[in-house]
Structure formats: C-alpha cells, structure tokens
Amino acid sequence: MLDADGDRHLRYERTFAGLPVIGGDLVVHQRADGSISSVDRAFAGQLSLPSLVPALSAEQAAAGATGAVRAAPGAAAGPEGAALAEVGAAGQAQLVVWAGGDAPRLAYRTAVAGVRTDGVPSSRRVITDAGTGAVLATDEGIRTATGTGTGVHVGAVTLTTTQSGGTYLLKDATRGNQSTVDAGVAGSPIFTSATNVFGNGLQSNRQSAGVDAQFDAAATWDYYKNTFGRNGIRNNGVGITSRVHTGNNLLDLFWDDSCFCMSYGDGPGNAKPMTELDAAAHEMTHGVTAATAGLVYSGEAGGLDEATSDILGTMVEWSADLPADPPDYLIAEKLDLNNNGTPLRYMDKPSKDGYSRDYWYAGIGSQDPHYSSAVGNHFFYLLAEGSGLKTINGVTYNSPTFDGSILAGIGRTKAAAIWYRALTVYMTSTTTYKGARTATLLAATELYGSPEATAVAAAWKAVNVN
C-alpha cells in the first residue's frame, strides 16, 4: 500500500523449503526515501523443522480434518457464530508449515465444505499436524460483510457481500450465493471493490447498474422467503446470477431459466440500464411460475403468467419500500419504455396504456400475453385496493368495474397470499381465467374464510370473469 506521503507498506508471504508458512507473513514499512522504518512479523523466530516428510498422507489428513469438523460442529462456527448444520467432503490437503504456535510444525491445510445453520455456505480451513493428525487451528474461508452501494434506480442501499482477502465481491452467501457480473466485459467478471462500496448512482459507473441488479435479486429473494417461506426462485436455496450491461443498446431485461440468470440491457445509447426493481422482480417471478404452475406462454395461460409476474413483482416493490423508487401499482414506470414518461402498464385501469382491455372477453386469449395479463392485473388491484378514485402512496388511481359495483378491497397482503397459493397449489400449465377464478376462491377459503372468498368472487365479477 502506498501512502500519500510516499511511504510504502509491503506485505510478504513466507515459504520454507517451498512450503507455504501459515502464520509466517510479515509487513515491511518503507519510508519514501527507501529506508525501512519498521517490520511487523507474525512469527519472529527462526524457522526450522526436524523433517519435511509427513507421517500421514494427504488423504489421511483430509479425512481426519473432515472427521474433526463433523465431531465438533460448535467449533465449526462461522464468523457470525452459526455452527455447521451440514458437513460435506474435504478438498485436497496441502502440506504447509504451521507457525501459528510456539514452535513451527509440519502440517496439512484442508478446506472442509459445509452449510451453516443460518443457511450460509461454509468452507472451514483446518490445520492438522502432519505427524499426529491433531487439529492445530481452524478458520472460516467464507466471510460475509455488509457493504453499501448506490444504484441508478434503487439509490443508496446496503448489500451483503463476500470478502475474499482484501477484496469484496457482489456475491451474497446468505441468499444462495447470488452474484452480479459485468456481461459487457470479456469473461463476465463478478463486480469487486477494495472498499466494500459499489457504484455512485451514475450510469457512467459500471458498478451502479450492478448495485441495482444485486439489490433487485436480494429484495426478490427476501419477499418470497419472508412472505411465503420460499427459499429462492426454485425453492432449493440456490441464488441466481445477474448479468448487467448485456448486449449493445439493448432495450430489454429478461429471465433465462436455462442459465438460472437475469440479464439486463443498457437501453438506447447504452444510457438507461433496465434494472428497475419491479421490472426485475417481474422477470424473476417467471422463474417461480416455471417452477410451480408452469403456465404455458400462450392463450389465457400466457396472460396469467404475465399477470403473476406483474402482481408479485409489484409486491416485491411494496416490500422493499425504497425512497428512490416508492412502491405503486404502475409497471416499469422508471424505465420510461414509452419515451413519454408514462408507465408500461397500469394495474388499476389497464386500458390506459392504449392496448390492454379492462375486462375479460371471449377473444382475450388471442392477444399478446403482455396485454391479456390486464384482466389478472385489474382483478388483483380491485381485490387489494377496491374500486373508484383514490390516492395511494402519493399516486392517484381510478379503477372501474364491469358491473358498476363498488368494491372496498381486502389489502394487498391478503390478495397476494391468495394469488400465490392459487399459483403454487391449484393452477396448471393451461389454466384459463375461469380456472384462475376457481383456484383463487379455493385459496381464499383455505387461507382466510368466507368474507375473503366473497371478495374474490366480487373482484372477478368486476372484471367480467363469472
């Protein structure tokens, strides 16, 4: 490291007979004129060993290290104190010199994989005596940290990052190792920082879109986990990879189930990253639908697929409640995809976009799913908030009904729970709007009872699904 006054601080790693010396590192402090001011040593003594031939093989050492971790899960606690709930296989044992004690010893260093009780992956680094197999020291190789970032759309946020040496990565071990990479650079490297601070809110800083994407994935994970107990998109504890700066002038963002990843373009002139939260959560919810009902992307089932993404993507936005992106019932309003400052879709009155219909009709399944989704979106808004003119979180809505009824709404939390249960328990790949009505009535009855089921029936009637 170089100080402003020209002083240098040089960190060295030590070896003995070609073997890494664990605990043998030293730091030399050099003045600007080249003279040495001081030296800090982890081990100040003279290194010597009676033999460089281990009594145990590498395989025996690895097995012993794994057995030691299995036998003492409390000793395998991570930095936050969570013991290992599951211990896997050990990596290859490496012969080293251990200088962390009173006298140097020939030893093995082995990484033992596991999963902590808080769900975070673990890589315990175990030092064992090469002669006896005794455990000399253990350390956790995976360290999470709380970083900060400023995104283009999400503003200033906190991020869970992974520390690797003196570098922090946009990789979240607490959420299935979700990570964000720069797809516009060869090799798509993961975003890193020496300070655990990412982005500055400007599109010109490549990390800013990465902050958006990493936060979007975390907020989506948290909503599904905290609300429905769902452990990731596929409910298997595995996080996604987010790819920002995809393509050139790409005015799109999309979910790809085959790579289990999100990709974001940078918009016209590569000046408008497509990383808005509700749009991102919308796309990730396609992954949830694929893993549950598997709605086909055609006919009314395609409209229900899109409606599900709008509904639950909007709920992620409400859950995150960002000052930089206040929650609402407008879809992708920050992306300005119409180039006139209007949202892409409106949930309270879908026809305001100029293409969608407010109510079901016999031919709605022939529309593009982005427009046939309107019936599901309108149903959800009416169920959650009711009909008529009102202002919610600073936005004015005026939702009509097909039959002229006046609806009060049961709240977005109940409405979302009903939709999610209907999706994951009752809907199938070819469900129609009438099938969705039946599914949500069953879900409402099971979750809450008669009053909510009555409200569900009224909301469907209000969008002409009887």
Side-chain angles (χ1 to χ4, degrees):
M1 186 176 74
L2 180 64
D3 289 344
D5 61 3
D7 288 356
R8 295 178 181 273
H9 309 277
L10 309 173
R11 188 173 296 275
Y12 292 88
E13 294 183 359
R14 200 168 178 180
T15 62
F16 180 82
L19 300 178
V21 179
I22 309 302
D25 49 306
L26 59 88
V27 183
V28 176
H29 306 283
Q30 184 183 52
R31 299 186 183 92
D33 62 7
S35 62
I36 305 301
S37 60
S38 63
V39 178
D40 292 319
R41 297 178 176 87
F43 179 79
Q46 182 70 32
L47 280 174
S48 64
L49 292 173
S51 173
L52 291 174
V53 180
L56 299 177
S57 69
E59 291 75 16
Q60 289 173 318
T66 304
V69 172
R70 289 185 189 278
E80 289 78 20
L84 291 189
E86 178 183 330
V87 178
Q92 185 176 5
Q94 178 190 22
L95 198 62
V96 299
V97 175
W98 170 245
D102 295 333
R105 298 194 198 186
L106 189 65
Y108 281 104
R109 176 171 57 184
T110 310
V112 181
V115 178
R116 289 175 11 201
T117 52
D118 58 4
V120 175
S122 171
S123 179
R124 296 299 299 168
R125 295 177 294 202
V126 185
I127 306 296
T128 53
D129 191 294
T132 66
V135 175
L136 303 177
T138 64
D139 185 31
E140 176 58 60
I142 295 178
R143 303 178 186 274
T144 58
T146 301
T148 60
T150 307
V152 177
H153 298 298
V154 302
V157 293
T158 58
L159 302 167
T160 301
T161 59
T162 296
Q163 183 179 0
S164 177
T167 301
Y168 297 91
L169 293 77
L170 275 191
K171 182 177 182 180
D172 187 346
T174 68
R175 298 177 177 89
N177 279 323
Q178 293 189 147
S179 62
T180 300
V181 303
D182 189 341
V185 174
S188 297
I190 191 169
F191 285 100
T192 63
S193 168
T195 61
N196 212 10
V197 177
F198 295 82
N200 61 4
L202 300 178
Q203 179 275 336
S204 57
N205 184 315
R206 297 186 73 84
Q207 289 190 348
S208 297
V211 171
D212 284 337
Q214 188 73 1
F215 182 87
D216 292 347
T220 302
W221 177 288
D222 288 351
Y223 173 72
Y224 281 108
K225 181 69 181 257
N226 297 337
T227 307
F228 305 119
R230 188 173 189 84
N231 195 23
I233 299 297
R234 289 180 180 160
N235 199 27
N236 61 356
V238 177
I240 72 163
T241 299
S242 298
R243 306 170 68 250
V244 297
H245 307 306
T246 300
N248 184 36
N249 298 313
L250 179 63
L251 185 65
D252 202 2
L253 66 157
F254 53 90
W255 168 260
D256 186 342
D257 220 47
S258 64
C259 67
F260 202 57
C261 66
M262 272 294 304
S263 295
Y264 302 88
D266 282 328
N270 293 319
K272 188 188 297 182
M274 300 284 104
T275 48
E276 183 186 358
L277 176 57
D278 70 339
H282 167 110
E283 297 300 334
M284 284 180 264
T285 297
H286 281 307
V288 174
T289 299
T292 55
L295 291 162
V296 297
Y297 204 70
S298 64
E300 292 189 18
L304 285 167
D305 187 353
E306 281 294 325
T308 295
S309 285
D310 278 352
I311 289 165
L312 295 177
T314 291
M315 288 304 298
V316 171
E317 184 178 86
W318 279 99
S319 177
D321 196 17
L322 289 173
D325 186 8
D328 50 46
Y329 292 99
L330 310 174
I331 306 300
E333 71 282 357
K334 289 175 70 71
L335 297 184
D336 191 23
L337 296 174
N338 298 321
N339 292 313
N340 60 8
T342 61
L344 185 63
R345 289 186 289 277
Y346 303 80
M347 298 185 79
D348 66 318
K349 188 177 182 182
S351 60
K352 288 172 67 176
D353 66 8
Y355 303 98
S356 300
R357 303 288 185 90
D358 294 329
Y359 313 113
W360 182 89
Y361 66 98
I364 199 165
S366 63
Q367 279 198 330
D368 182 287
H370 290 93
Y371 302 132
S372 60
S373 63
V375 176
N377 286 347
H378 194 191
F379 158 80
F380 178 80
Y381 176 88
L382 287 169
L383 180 63
E385 303 291 353
S387 60
L389 181 65
K390 60 191 64 182
T391 299
I392 304 169
N393 207 30
V395 179
T396 299
Y397 304 95
N398 193 358
S399 191
T401 59
F402 180 81
D403 59 351
S405 59
I406 298 174
L407 305 182
I410 63 173
R412 69 184 72 93
T413 300
K414 284 185 176 181
I418 290 168
W419 191 274
Y420 180 80
R421 181 168 177 80
L423 173 77
T424 57
V425 176
Y426 294 112
M427 290 188 193
T428 66
S429 60
T430 57
T431 294
T432 63
Y433 273 114
K434 289 185 179 180
R437 178 184 184 277
T438 300
T440 51
L441 283 169
L442 287 168
T445 301
E446 292 165 351
L447 289 174
Y448 303 111
S450 180
E452 285 78 6
T454 299
V456 166
W460 281 121
K461 187 172 183 288
V463 295
N464 197 33
V465 178
N466 299 302

